[in-house]
PDB file of all heavy atoms in Angstrom:
ATOM      1  N   CYS A   1      -0.218  -8.961   3.183  1.00  0.00           N
ATOM      2  CA  CYS A   1       0.657  -7.801   3.116  1.00  0.00           C
ATOM      3  C   CYS A   1       0.109  -6.739   2.172  1.00  0.00           C
ATOM      4  O   CYS A   1       0.790  -5.779   1.861  1.00  0.00           O
ATOM      5  CB  CYS A   1       2.068  -8.225   2.676  1.00  0.00           C
ATOM      6  SG  CYS A   1       2.106  -9.016   1.064  1.00  0.00           S
ATOM      7  N   PHE A   2      -1.118  -6.958   1.677  1.00  0.00           N
ATOM      8  CA  PHE A   2      -1.686  -5.990   0.751  1.00  0.00           C
ATOM      9  C   PHE A   2      -1.912  -4.654   1.425  1.00  0.00           C
ATOM     10  O   PHE A   2      -1.564  -3.612   0.903  1.00  0.00           O
ATOM     11  CB  PHE A   2      -2.991  -6.541   0.167  1.00  0.00           C
ATOM     12  CG  PHE A   2      -3.703  -5.560  -0.715  1.00  0.00           C
ATOM     13  CD1 PHE A   2      -3.184  -5.223  -1.959  1.00  0.00           C
ATOM     14  CD2 PHE A   2      -4.869  -4.968  -0.296  1.00  0.00           C
ATOM     15  CE1 PHE A   2      -3.830  -4.310  -2.768  1.00  0.00           C
ATOM     16  CE2 PHE A   2      -5.525  -4.047  -1.107  1.00  0.00           C
ATOM     17  CZ  PHE A   2      -5.004  -3.721  -2.348  1.00  0.00           C
ATOM     18  N   ALA A   3      -2.507  -4.688   2.603  1.00  0.00           N
ATOM     19  CA  ALA A   3      -2.777  -3.440   3.322  1.00  0.00           C
ATOM     20  C   ALA A   3      -2.842  -3.739   4.804  1.00  0.00           C
ATOM     21  O   ALA A   3      -3.716  -4.469   5.255  1.00  0.00           O
ATOM     22  CB  ALA A   3      -4.080  -2.821   2.835  1.00  0.00           C
ATOM     23  N   HIS A   4      -1.895  -3.173   5.546  1.00  0.00           N
ATOM     24  CA  HIS A   4      -1.919  -3.358   6.992  1.00  0.00           C
ATOM     25  C   HIS A   4      -1.343  -2.124   7.671  1.00  0.00           C
ATOM     26  O   HIS A   4      -0.773  -1.252   7.016  1.00  0.00           O
ATOM     27  CB  HIS A   4      -1.129  -4.616   7.397  1.00  0.00           C
ATOM     28  CG  HIS A   4       0.275  -4.638   6.887  1.00  0.00           C
ATOM     29  ND1 HIS A   4       0.638  -5.319   5.745  1.00  0.00           N
ATOM     30  CD2 HIS A   4       1.410  -4.042   7.336  1.00  0.00           C
ATOM     31  CE1 HIS A   4       1.933  -5.154   5.524  1.00  0.00           C
ATOM     32  NE2 HIS A   4       2.431  -4.385   6.466  1.00  0.00           N
ATOM     33  N   VAL A   5      -1.521  -2.025   8.951  1.00  0.00           N
ATOM     34  CA  VAL A   5      -1.000  -0.885   9.698  1.00  0.00           C
ATOM     35  C   VAL A   5       0.533  -0.934   9.642  1.00  0.00           C
ATOM     36  O   VAL A   5       1.147  -1.959   9.938  1.00  0.00           O
ATOM     37  CB  VAL A   5      -1.483  -0.909  11.156  1.00  0.00           C
ATOM     38  CG1 VAL A   5      -0.859   0.240  11.939  1.00  0.00           C
ATOM     39  CG2 VAL A   5      -3.005  -0.812  11.210  1.00  0.00           C
ATOM     40  N   SER A   6       1.139   0.180   9.265  1.00  0.00           N
ATOM     41  CA  SER A   6       2.596   0.235   9.137  1.00  0.00           C
ATOM     42  C   SER A   6       3.104   1.541   9.743  1.00  0.00           C
ATOM     43  O   SER A   6       2.327   2.453  10.047  1.00  0.00           O
ATOM     44  CB  SER A   6       3.022   0.141   7.667  1.00  0.00           C
ATOM     45  OG  SER A   6       2.451   1.207   6.921  1.00  0.00           O
ATOM     46  N   VAL A   7       4.424   1.635   9.904  1.00  0.00           N
ATOM     47  CA  VAL A   7       5.040   2.849  10.445  1.00  0.00           C
ATOM     48  C   VAL A   7       6.244   3.199   9.578  1.00  0.00           C
ATOM     49  O   VAL A   7       7.054   2.339   9.233  1.00  0.00           O
ATOM     50  CB  VAL A   7       5.458   2.669  11.926  1.00  0.00           C
ATOM     51  CG1 VAL A   7       6.439   1.510  12.089  1.00  0.00           C
ATOM     52  CG2 VAL A   7       6.060   3.963  12.471  1.00  0.00           C
ATOM     53  N   GLN A   8       6.333   4.471   9.200  1.00  0.00           N
ATOM     54  CA  GLN A   8       7.431   4.960   8.372  1.00  0.00           C
ATOM     55  C   GLN A   8       7.912   6.301   8.900  1.00  0.00           C
ATOM     56  O   GLN A   8       7.110   7.130   9.336  1.00  0.00           O
ATOM     57  CB  GLN A   8       6.979   5.113   6.909  1.00  0.00           C
ATOM     58  CG  GLN A   8       6.658   3.813   6.200  1.00  0.00           C
ATOM     59  CD  GLN A   8       7.885   2.948   5.985  1.00  0.00           C
ATOM     60  OE1 GLN A   8       9.002   3.452   5.900  1.00  0.00           O
ATOM     61  NE2 GLN A   8       7.679   1.644   5.905  1.00  0.00           N
ATOM     62  N   PRO A   9       9.227   6.535   8.867  1.00  0.00           N
ATOM     63  CA  PRO A   9       9.744   7.843   9.318  1.00  0.00           C
ATOM     64  C   PRO A   9       9.624   8.890   8.225  1.00  0.00           C
ATOM     65  O   PRO A   9       9.609   8.554   7.033  1.00  0.00           O
ATOM     66  CB  PRO A   9      11.212   7.540   9.631  1.00  0.00           C
ATOM     67  CG  PRO A   9      11.563   6.445   8.655  1.00  0.00           C
ATOM     68  CD  PRO A   9      10.314   5.609   8.507  1.00  0.00           C
ATOM     69  N   GLU A  10       9.536  10.143   8.626  1.00  0.00           N
ATOM     70  CA  GLU A  10       9.619  11.248   7.680  1.00  0.00           C
ATOM     71  C   GLU A  10      11.098  11.598   7.532  1.00  0.00           C
ATOM     72  O   GLU A  10      11.671  12.321   8.336  1.00  0.00           O
ATOM     73  CB  GLU A  10       8.820  12.453   8.187  1.00  0.00           C
ATOM     74  CG  GLU A  10       7.318  12.204   8.266  1.00  0.00           C
ATOM     75  CD  GLU A  10       6.553  13.433   8.703  1.00  0.00           C
ATOM     76  OE1 GLU A  10       7.192  14.507   8.851  1.00  0.00           O
ATOM     77  OE2 GLU A  10       5.333  13.329   8.908  1.00  0.00           O
ATOM     78  N   GLY A  11      11.711  11.043   6.508  1.00  0.00           N
ATOM     79  CA  GLY A  11      13.160  11.181   6.356  1.00  0.00           C
ATOM     80  C   GLY A  11      13.830   9.945   6.916  1.00  0.00           C
ATOM     81  O   GLY A  11      13.554   8.830   6.486  1.00  0.00           O
ATOM     82  N   GLU A  12      14.712  10.116   7.913  1.00  0.00           N
ATOM     83  CA  GLU A  12      15.405   8.992   8.524  1.00  0.00           C
ATOM     84  C   GLU A  12      15.125   8.945  10.021  1.00  0.00           C
ATOM     85  O   GLU A  12      14.850   9.968  10.649  1.00  0.00           O
ATOM     86  CB  GLU A  12      16.921   9.097   8.297  1.00  0.00           C
ATOM     87  CG  GLU A  12      17.355   8.818   6.865  1.00  0.00           C
ATOM     88  CD  GLU A  12      18.863   8.713   6.746  1.00  0.00           C
ATOM     89  OE1 GLU A  12      19.566   9.043   7.739  1.00  0.00           O
ATOM     90  OE2 GLU A  12      19.344   8.316   5.682  1.00  0.00           O
ATOM     91  N   ALA A  13      15.198   7.735  10.553  1.00  0.00           N
ATOM     92  CA  ALA A  13      15.105   7.532  11.993  1.00  0.00           C
ATOM     93  C   ALA A  13      16.466   7.028  12.449  1.00  0.00           C
ATOM     94  O   ALA A  13      16.727   5.820  12.496  1.00  0.00           O
ATOM     95  CB  ALA A  13      14.005   6.535  12.327  1.00  0.00           C
ATOM     96  N   ALA A  14      17.367   7.956  12.769  1.00  0.00           N
ATOM     97  CA  ALA A  14      18.746   7.609  13.098  1.00  0.00           C
ATOM     98  C   ALA A  14      18.877   7.228  14.566  1.00  0.00           C
ATOM     99  O   ALA A  14      18.251   7.844  15.442  1.00  0.00           O
ATOM    100  CB  ALA A  14      19.682   8.774  12.776  1.00  0.00           C
ATOM    101  N   LYS A  15      19.676   6.244  14.831  1.00  0.00           N
ATOM    102  CA  LYS A  15      19.933   5.809  16.210  1.00  0.00           C
ATOM    103  C   LYS A  15      20.499   6.973  17.029  1.00  0.00           C
ATOM    104  O   LYS A  15      21.364   7.711  16.554  1.00  0.00           O
ATOM    105  CB  LYS A  15      20.930   4.645  16.224  1.00  0.00           C
ATOM    106  CG  LYS A  15      20.438   3.397  15.508  1.00  0.00           C
ATOM    107  CD  LYS A  15      21.503   2.300  15.520  1.00  0.00           C
ATOM    108  CE  LYS A  15      21.035   1.059  14.797  1.00  0.00           C
ATOM    109  NZ  LYS A  15      22.067  -0.011  14.791  1.00  0.00           N
ATOM    110  N   GLY A  16      19.987   7.111  18.242  1.00  0.00           N
ATOM    111  CA  GLY A  16      20.470   8.164  19.119  1.00  0.00           C
ATOM    112  C   GLY A  16      19.877   9.530  18.853  1.00  0.00           C
ATOM    113  O   GLY A  16      20.225  10.493  19.538  1.00  0.00           O
ATOM    114  N   GLY A  17      18.965   9.621  17.883  1.00  0.00           N
ATOM    115  CA  GLY A  17      18.378  10.915  17.537  1.00  0.00           C
ATOM    116  C   GLY A  17      16.868  10.926  17.718  1.00  0.00           C
ATOM    117  O   GLY A  17      16.285  10.065  18.392  1.00  0.00           O
ATOM    118  N   TYR A  18      16.246  11.924  17.132  1.00  0.00           N
ATOM    119  CA  TYR A  18      14.798  12.079  17.166  1.00  0.00           C
ATOM    120  C   TYR A  18      14.250  11.960  15.753  1.00  0.00           C
ATOM    121  O   TYR A  18      14.953  12.211  14.775  1.00  0.00           O
ATOM    122  CB  TYR A  18      14.412  13.431  17.759  1.00  0.00           C
ATOM    123  CG  TYR A  18      14.651  13.546  19.249  1.00  0.00           C
ATOM    124  CD1 TYR A  18      15.934  13.761  19.753  1.00  0.00           C
ATOM    125  CD2 TYR A  18      13.605  13.430  20.159  1.00  0.00           C
ATOM    126  CE1 TYR A  18      16.170  13.863  21.110  1.00  0.00           C
ATOM    127  CE2 TYR A  18      13.827  13.536  21.525  1.00  0.00           C
ATOM    128  CZ  TYR A  18      15.104  13.750  21.995  1.00  0.00           C
ATOM    129  OH  TYR A  18      15.338  13.833  23.348  1.00  0.00           O
ATOM    130  N   ALA A  19      12.979  11.592  15.641  1.00  0.00           N
ATOM    131  CA  ALA A  19      12.360  11.443  14.326  1.00  0.00           C
ATOM    132  C   ALA A  19      10.859  11.637  14.446  1.00  0.00           C
ATOM    133  O   ALA A  19      10.278  11.482  15.522  1.00  0.00           O
ATOM    134  CB  ALA A  19      12.669  10.066  13.734  1.00  0.00           C
ATOM    135  N   VAL A  20      10.260  11.997  13.327  1.00  0.00           N
ATOM    136  CA  VAL A  20       8.804  12.028  13.222  1.00  0.00           C
ATOM    137  C   VAL A  20       8.394  10.822  12.404  1.00  0.00           C
ATOM    138  O   VAL A  20       8.842  10.644  11.265  1.00  0.00           O
ATOM    139  CB  VAL A  20       8.313  13.325  12.555  1.00  0.00           C
ATOM    140  CG1 VAL A  20       6.795  13.273  12.345  1.00  0.00           C
ATOM    141  CG2 VAL A  20       8.678  14.532  13.393  1.00  0.00           C
ATOM    142  N   VAL A  21       7.575   9.980  12.980  1.00  0.00           N
ATOM    143  CA  VAL A  21       7.125   8.769  12.303  1.00  0.00           C
ATOM    144  C   VAL A  21       5.623   8.854  12.102  1.00  0.00           C
ATOM    145  O   VAL A  21       4.907   9.509  12.866  1.00  0.00           O
ATOM    146  CB  VAL A  21       7.495   7.498  13.096  1.00  0.00           C
ATOM    147  CG1 VAL A  21       9.007   7.414  13.291  1.00  0.00           C
ATOM    148  CG2 VAL A  21       6.786   7.470  14.444  1.00  0.00           C
ATOM    149  N   GLY A  22       5.164   8.192  11.054  1.00  0.00           N
ATOM    150  CA  GLY A  22       3.739   8.194  10.762  1.00  0.00           C
ATOM    151  C   GLY A  22       3.181   6.784  10.736  1.00  0.00           C
ATOM    152  O   GLY A  22       3.726   5.912  10.050  1.00  0.00           O
ATOM    153  N   PHE A  23       2.125   6.553  11.510  1.00  0.00           N
ATOM    154  CA  PHE A  23       1.443   5.261  11.482  1.00  0.00           C
ATOM    155  C   PHE A  23       0.358   5.332  10.402  1.00  0.00           C
ATOM    156  O   PHE A  23      -0.593   6.102  10.507  1.00  0.00           O
ATOM    157  CB  PHE A  23       0.836   4.933  12.846  1.00  0.00           C
ATOM    158  CG  PHE A  23       1.860   4.674  13.910  1.00  0.00           C
ATOM    159  CD1 PHE A  23       2.301   5.702  14.739  1.00  0.00           C
ATOM    160  CD2 PHE A  23       2.413   3.409  14.068  1.00  0.00           C
ATOM    161  CE1 PHE A  23       3.261   5.471  15.704  1.00  0.00           C
ATOM    162  CE2 PHE A  23       3.382   3.169  15.037  1.00  0.00           C
ATOM    163  CZ  PHE A  23       3.803   4.198  15.858  1.00  0.00           C
ATOM    164  N   LYS A  24       0.538   4.523   9.366  1.00  0.00           N
ATOM    165  CA  LYS A  24      -0.390   4.528   8.232  1.00  0.00           C
ATOM    166  C   LYS A  24      -1.432   3.437   8.441  1.00  0.00           C
ATOM    167  O   LYS A  24      -1.100   2.260   8.611  1.00  0.00           O
ATOM    168  CB  LYS A  24       0.377   4.290   6.934  1.00  0.00           C
ATOM    169  CG  LYS A  24      -0.503   4.323   5.695  1.00  0.00           C
ATOM    170  CD  LYS A  24       0.323   4.085   4.444  1.00  0.00           C
ATOM    171  CE  LYS A  24      -0.551   4.074   3.202  1.00  0.00           C
ATOM    172  NZ  LYS A  24       0.254   3.821   1.976  1.00  0.00           N
ATOM    173  N   VAL A  25      -2.704   3.845   8.441  1.00  0.00           N
ATOM    174  CA  VAL A  25      -3.801   2.916   8.725  1.00  0.00           C
ATOM    175  C   VAL A  25      -4.764   2.885   7.549  1.00  0.00           C
ATOM    176  O   VAL A  25      -5.559   3.813   7.362  1.00  0.00           O
ATOM    177  CB  VAL A  25      -4.547   3.327  10.007  1.00  0.00           C
ATOM    178  CG1 VAL A  25      -5.634   2.304  10.336  1.00  0.00           C
ATOM    179  CG2 VAL A  25      -3.581   3.471  11.174  1.00  0.00           C
ATOM    180  N   PRO A  26      -4.728   1.838   6.718  1.00  0.00           N
ATOM    181  CA  PRO A  26      -5.695   1.704   5.633  1.00  0.00           C
ATOM    182  C   PRO A  26      -6.958   0.997   6.119  1.00  0.00           C
ATOM    183  O   PRO A  26      -6.923   0.240   7.094  1.00  0.00           O
ATOM    184  CB  PRO A  26      -4.949   0.837   4.619  1.00  0.00           C
ATOM    185  CG  PRO A  26      -4.060  -0.014   5.460  1.00  0.00           C
ATOM    186  CD  PRO A  26      -3.688   0.801   6.679  1.00  0.00           C
ATOM    187  N   ASN A  27      -8.065   1.254   5.462  1.00  0.00           N
ATOM    188  CA  ASN A  27      -9.307   0.543   5.777  1.00  0.00           C
ATOM    189  C   ASN A  27      -9.414  -0.675   4.860  1.00  0.00           C
ATOM    190  O   ASN A  27      -9.443  -0.537   3.640  1.00  0.00           O
ATOM    191  CB  ASN A  27     -10.510   1.474   5.579  1.00  0.00           C
ATOM    192  CG  ASN A  27     -11.774   0.888   6.188  1.00  0.00           C
ATOM    193  OD1 ASN A  27     -11.999  -0.316   6.166  1.00  0.00           O
ATOM    194  ND2 ASN A  27     -12.611   1.744   6.737  1.00  0.00           N
ATOM    195  N   GLU A  28      -9.454  -1.847   5.452  1.00  0.00           N
ATOM    196  CA  GLU A  28      -9.483  -3.081   4.671  1.00  0.00           C
ATOM    197  C   GLU A  28     -10.897  -3.643   4.482  1.00  0.00           C
ATOM    198  O   GLU A  28     -11.066  -4.705   3.899  1.00  0.00           O
ATOM    199  CB  GLU A  28      -8.621  -4.144   5.349  1.00  0.00           C
ATOM    200  CG  GLU A  28      -7.148  -3.802   5.410  1.00  0.00           C
ATOM    201  CD  GLU A  28      -6.352  -4.943   6.019  1.00  0.00           C
ATOM    202  OE1 GLU A  28      -6.713  -5.376   7.133  1.00  0.00           O
ATOM    203  OE2 GLU A  28      -5.397  -5.391   5.382  1.00  0.00           O
ATOM    204  N   ARG A  29     -11.879  -2.952   5.005  1.00  0.00           N
ATOM    205  CA  ARG A  29     -13.253  -3.462   4.934  1.00  0.00           C
ATOM    206  C   ARG A  29     -14.088  -2.612   3.974  1.00  0.00           C
ATOM    207  O   ARG A  29     -13.874  -1.420   3.826  1.00  0.00           O
ATOM    208  CB  ARG A  29     -13.895  -3.455   6.327  1.00  0.00           C
ATOM    209  CG  ARG A  29     -13.133  -4.282   7.349  1.00  0.00           C
ATOM    210  CD  ARG A  29     -13.163  -5.761   7.005  1.00  0.00           C
ATOM    211  NE  ARG A  29     -12.424  -6.555   7.983  1.00  0.00           N
ATOM    212  CZ  ARG A  29     -11.184  -6.987   7.818  1.00  0.00           C
ATOM    213  NH1 ARG A  29     -10.513  -6.655   6.700  1.00  0.00           N
ATOM    214  NH2 ARG A  29     -10.587  -7.713   8.739  1.00  0.00           N
ATOM    215  N   ASP A  30     -15.067  -3.273   3.353  1.00  0.00           N
ATOM    216  CA  ASP A  30     -15.959  -2.584   2.427  1.00  0.00           C
ATOM    217  C   ASP A  30     -17.241  -2.097   3.090  1.00  0.00           C
ATOM    218  O   ASP A  30     -17.961  -1.268   2.515  1.00  0.00           O
ATOM    219  CB  ASP A  30     -16.339  -3.521   1.259  1.00  0.00           C
ATOM    220  CG  ASP A  30     -15.133  -3.921   0.422  1.00  0.00           C
ATOM    221  OD1 ASP A  30     -14.194  -3.107   0.320  1.00  0.00           O
ATOM    222  OD2 ASP A  30     -15.138  -5.046  -0.123  1.00  0.00           O
ATOM    223  N   ASN A  31     -17.530  -2.621   4.281  1.00  0.00           N
ATOM    224  CA  ASN A  31     -18.806  -2.312   4.924  1.00  0.00           C
ATOM    225  C   ASN A  31     -18.646  -1.704   6.316  1.00  0.00           C
ATOM    226  O   ASN A  31     -19.594  -1.692   7.099  1.00  0.00           O
ATOM    227  CB  ASN A  31     -19.662  -3.581   5.010  1.00  0.00           C
ATOM    228  CG  ASN A  31     -18.955  -4.697   5.764  1.00  0.00           C
ATOM    229  OD1 ASN A  31     -17.784  -4.565   6.111  1.00  0.00           O
ATOM    230  ND2 ASN A  31     -19.660  -5.789   6.008  1.00  0.00           N
ATOM    231  N   ALA A  32     -17.428  -1.230   6.659  1.00  0.00           N
ATOM    232  CA  ALA A  32     -17.210  -0.649   7.986  1.00  0.00           C
ATOM    233  C   ALA A  32     -16.067   0.359   7.914  1.00  0.00           C
ATOM    234  O   ALA A  32     -15.203   0.290   7.024  1.00  0.00           O
ATOM    235  CB  ALA A  32     -16.893  -1.737   9.008  1.00  0.00           C
ATOM    236  N   ALA A  33     -16.094   1.292   8.841  1.00  0.00           N
ATOM    237  CA  ALA A  33     -15.043   2.310   8.928  1.00  0.00           C
ATOM    238  C   ALA A  33     -14.139   2.024  10.118  1.00  0.00           C
ATOM    239  O   ALA A  33     -14.570   1.439  11.115  1.00  0.00           O
ATOM    240  CB  ALA A  33     -15.663   3.703   9.063  1.00  0.00           C
ATOM    241  N   THR A  34     -12.883   2.445  10.009  1.00  0.00           N
ATOM    242  CA  THR A  34     -11.963   2.329  11.140  1.00  0.00           C
ATOM    243  C   THR A  34     -12.225   3.489  12.093  1.00  0.00           C
ATOM    244  O   THR A  34     -12.153   4.649  11.705  1.00  0.00           O
ATOM    245  CB  THR A  34     -10.505   2.367  10.668  1.00  0.00           C
ATOM    246  OG1 THR A  34     -10.248   1.220   9.839  1.00  0.00           O
ATOM    247  CG2 THR A  34      -9.550   2.343  11.849  1.00  0.00           C
ATOM    248  N   THR A  35     -12.532   3.162  13.328  1.00  0.00           N
ATOM    249  CA  THR A  35     -12.896   4.197  14.304  1.00  0.00           C
ATOM    250  C   THR A  35     -11.900   4.329  15.460  1.00  0.00           C
ATOM    251  O   THR A  35     -12.020   5.262  16.252  1.00  0.00           O
ATOM    252  CB  THR A  35     -14.283   3.887  14.895  1.00  0.00           C
ATOM    253  OG1 THR A  35     -14.264   2.573  15.484  1.00  0.00           O
ATOM    254  CG2 THR A  35     -15.348   3.938  13.804  1.00  0.00           C
ATOM    255  N   LYS A  36     -10.925   3.410  15.531  1.00  0.00           N
ATOM    256  CA  LYS A  36      -9.997   3.474  16.655  1.00  0.00           C
ATOM    257  C   LYS A  36      -8.677   2.803  16.299  1.00  0.00           C
ATOM    258  O   LYS A  36      -8.660   1.774  15.608  1.00  0.00           O
ATOM    259  CB  LYS A  36     -10.613   2.793  17.882  1.00  0.00           C
ATOM    260  CG  LYS A  36      -9.829   2.955  19.174  1.00  0.00           C
ATOM    261  CD  LYS A  36     -10.601   2.301  20.334  1.00  0.00           C
ATOM    262  CE  LYS A  36      -9.918   2.468  21.662  1.00  0.00           C
ATOM    263  NZ  LYS A  36     -10.678   1.823  22.765  1.00  0.00           N
ATOM    264  N   LEU A  37      -7.581   3.386  16.778  1.00  0.00           N
ATOM    265  CA  LEU A  37      -6.254   2.792  16.617  1.00  0.00           C
ATOM    266  C   LEU A  37      -5.523   2.883  17.946  1.00  0.00           C
ATOM    267  O   LEU A  37      -5.425   3.954  18.544  1.00  0.00           O
ATOM    268  CB  LEU A  37      -5.451   3.530  15.546  1.00  0.00           C
ATOM    269  CG  LEU A  37      -3.989   3.097  15.412  1.00  0.00           C
ATOM    270  CD1 LEU A  37      -3.895   1.684  14.857  1.00  0.00           C
ATOM    271  CD2 LEU A  37      -3.198   4.069  14.539  1.00  0.00           C
ATOM    272  N   GLU A  38      -5.002   1.754  18.397  1.00  0.00           N
ATOM    273  CA  GLU A  38      -4.204   1.695  19.622  1.00  0.00           C
ATOM    274  C   GLU A  38      -2.809   1.190  19.262  1.00  0.00           C
ATOM    275  O   GLU A  38      -2.670   0.104  18.702  1.00  0.00           O
ATOM    276  CB  GLU A  38      -4.837   0.753  20.646  1.00  0.00           C
ATOM    277  CG  GLU A  38      -6.228   1.150  21.099  1.00  0.00           C
ATOM    278  CD  GLU A  38      -6.870   0.081  21.967  1.00  0.00           C
ATOM    279  OE1 GLU A  38      -6.472  -0.054  23.140  1.00  0.00           O
ATOM    280  OE2 GLU A  38      -7.757  -0.632  21.454  1.00  0.00           O
ATOM    281  N   VAL A  39      -1.804   1.964  19.578  1.00  0.00           N
ATOM    282  CA  VAL A  39      -0.418   1.588  19.285  1.00  0.00           C
ATOM    283  C   VAL A  39       0.339   1.444  20.603  1.00  0.00           C
ATOM    284  O   VAL A  39       0.399   2.383  21.406  1.00  0.00           O
ATOM    285  CB  VAL A  39       0.274   2.626  18.395  1.00  0.00           C
ATOM    286  CG1 VAL A  39       1.749   2.255  18.200  1.00  0.00           C
ATOM    287  CG2 VAL A  39      -0.419   2.718  17.046  1.00  0.00           C
ATOM    288  N   THR A  40       0.902   0.259  20.815  1.00  0.00           N
ATOM    289  CA  THR A  40       1.700  -0.008  22.010  1.00  0.00           C
ATOM    290  C   THR A  40       3.169   0.235  21.700  1.00  0.00           C
ATOM    291  O   THR A  40       3.707  -0.308  20.729  1.00  0.00           O
ATOM    292  CB  THR A  40       1.503  -1.454  22.480  1.00  0.00           C
ATOM    293  OG1 THR A  40       0.117  -1.664  22.786  1.00  0.00           O
ATOM    294  CG2 THR A  40       2.338  -1.735  23.719  1.00  0.00           C
ATOM    295  N   PHE A  41       3.810   1.044  22.519  1.00  0.00           N
ATOM    296  CA  PHE A  41       5.221   1.375  22.305  1.00  0.00           C
ATOM    297  C   PHE A  41       6.108   0.336  22.987  1.00  0.00           C
ATOM    298  O   PHE A  41       5.742  -0.227  24.022  1.00  0.00           O
ATOM    299  CB  PHE A  41       5.511   2.779  22.816  1.00  0.00           C
ATOM    300  CG  PHE A  41       5.018   3.852  21.881  1.00  0.00           C
ATOM    301  CD1 PHE A  41       3.662   4.062  21.702  1.00  0.00           C
ATOM    302  CD2 PHE A  41       5.916   4.619  21.154  1.00  0.00           C
ATOM    303  CE1 PHE A  41       3.201   5.021  20.821  1.00  0.00           C
ATOM    304  CE2 PHE A  41       5.465   5.589  20.281  1.00  0.00           C
ATOM    305  CZ  PHE A  41       4.105   5.794  20.112  1.00  0.00           C
ATOM    306  N   PRO A  42       7.285   0.069  22.395  1.00  0.00           N
ATOM    307  CA  PRO A  42       8.145  -1.006  22.895  1.00  0.00           C
ATOM    308  C   PRO A  42       8.602  -0.792  24.335  1.00  0.00           C
ATOM    309  O   PRO A  42       9.120   0.272  24.668  1.00  0.00           O
ATOM    310  CB  PRO A  42       9.331  -1.001  21.924  1.00  0.00           C
ATOM    311  CG  PRO A  42       9.322   0.362  21.313  1.00  0.00           C
ATOM    312  CD  PRO A  42       7.895   0.777  21.255  1.00  0.00           C
ATOM    313  N   SER A  43       8.411  -1.796  25.157  1.00  0.00           N
ATOM    314  CA  SER A  43       8.831  -1.714  26.555  1.00  0.00           C
ATOM    315  C   SER A  43      10.296  -2.096  26.729  1.00  0.00           C
ATOM    316  O   SER A  43      10.929  -1.706  27.717  1.00  0.00           O
ATOM    317  CB  SER A  43       7.958  -2.642  27.417  1.00  0.00           C
ATOM    318  OG  SER A  43       8.046  -3.978  26.957  1.00  0.00           O
ATOM    319  N   ASP A  44      10.857  -2.844  25.763  1.00  0.00           N
ATOM    320  CA  ASP A  44      12.261  -3.235  25.868  1.00  0.00           C
ATOM    321  C   ASP A  44      13.193  -2.085  25.477  1.00  0.00           C
ATOM    322  O   ASP A  44      14.370  -2.078  25.848  1.00  0.00           O
ATOM    323  CB  ASP A  44      12.547  -4.471  25.005  1.00  0.00           C
ATOM    324  CG  ASP A  44      12.145  -4.267  23.553  1.00  0.00           C
ATOM    325  OD1 ASP A  44      11.341  -3.338  23.284  1.00  0.00           O
ATOM    326  OD2 ASP A  44      12.618  -5.028  22.693  1.00  0.00           O
ATOM    327  N   HIS A  45      12.665  -1.112  24.728  1.00  0.00           N
ATOM    328  CA  HIS A  45      13.433   0.087  24.380  1.00  0.00           C
ATOM    329  C   HIS A  45      12.514   1.303  24.565  1.00  0.00           C
ATOM    330  O   HIS A  45      12.049   1.901  23.598  1.00  0.00           O
ATOM    331  CB  HIS A  45      13.939   0.021  22.936  1.00  0.00           C
ATOM    332  CG  HIS A  45      14.960  -1.035  22.702  1.00  0.00           C
ATOM    333  ND1 HIS A  45      14.649  -2.290  22.233  1.00  0.00           N
ATOM    334  CD2 HIS A  45      16.315  -1.043  22.900  1.00  0.00           C
ATOM    335  CE1 HIS A  45      15.749  -3.005  22.134  1.00  0.00           C
ATOM    336  NE2 HIS A  45      16.769  -2.272  22.533  1.00  0.00           N
ATOM    337  N   PRO A  46      12.237   1.675  25.812  1.00  0.00           N
ATOM    338  CA  PRO A  46      11.323   2.794  26.062  1.00  0.00           C
ATOM    339  C   PRO A  46      11.869   4.111  25.516  1.00  0.00           C
ATOM    340  O   PRO A  46      13.074   4.345  25.499  1.00  0.00           O
ATOM    341  CB  PRO A  46      11.213   2.830  27.585  1.00  0.00           C
ATOM    342  CG  PRO A  46      12.449   2.144  28.082  1.00  0.00           C
ATOM    343  CD  PRO A  46      12.783   1.110  27.061  1.00  0.00           C
TER     344      PRO A  46
END
């Protein structure tokens, strides 16, 4: 849990509304760079 891909809203993410969320991606390696991120959106709540 030291550093992993996470998602946080800017302000609040209220039910029934809209929100801006940010996917935070830290680099956990000392000898490589992160070059790609793929995020799958929930199919049970499209």
Side-chain angles (χ1 to χ4, degrees):
C1 60
F2 175 71
H4 55 262
V5 176
S6 59
V7 58
Q8 293 293 333
E10 294 183 5
E12 288 189 350
K15 298 178 181 179
Y18 289 78
V20 175
V21 301
F23 292 93
K24 182 180 178 181
V25 183
N27 193 324
E28 296 183 306
R29 302 294 180 261
D30 297 329
N31 57 353
T34 296
T35 57
K36 188 176 182 180
L37 173 68
E38 299 172 74
V39 176
T40 300
F41 283 69
S43 58
D44 55 342
H45 293 95

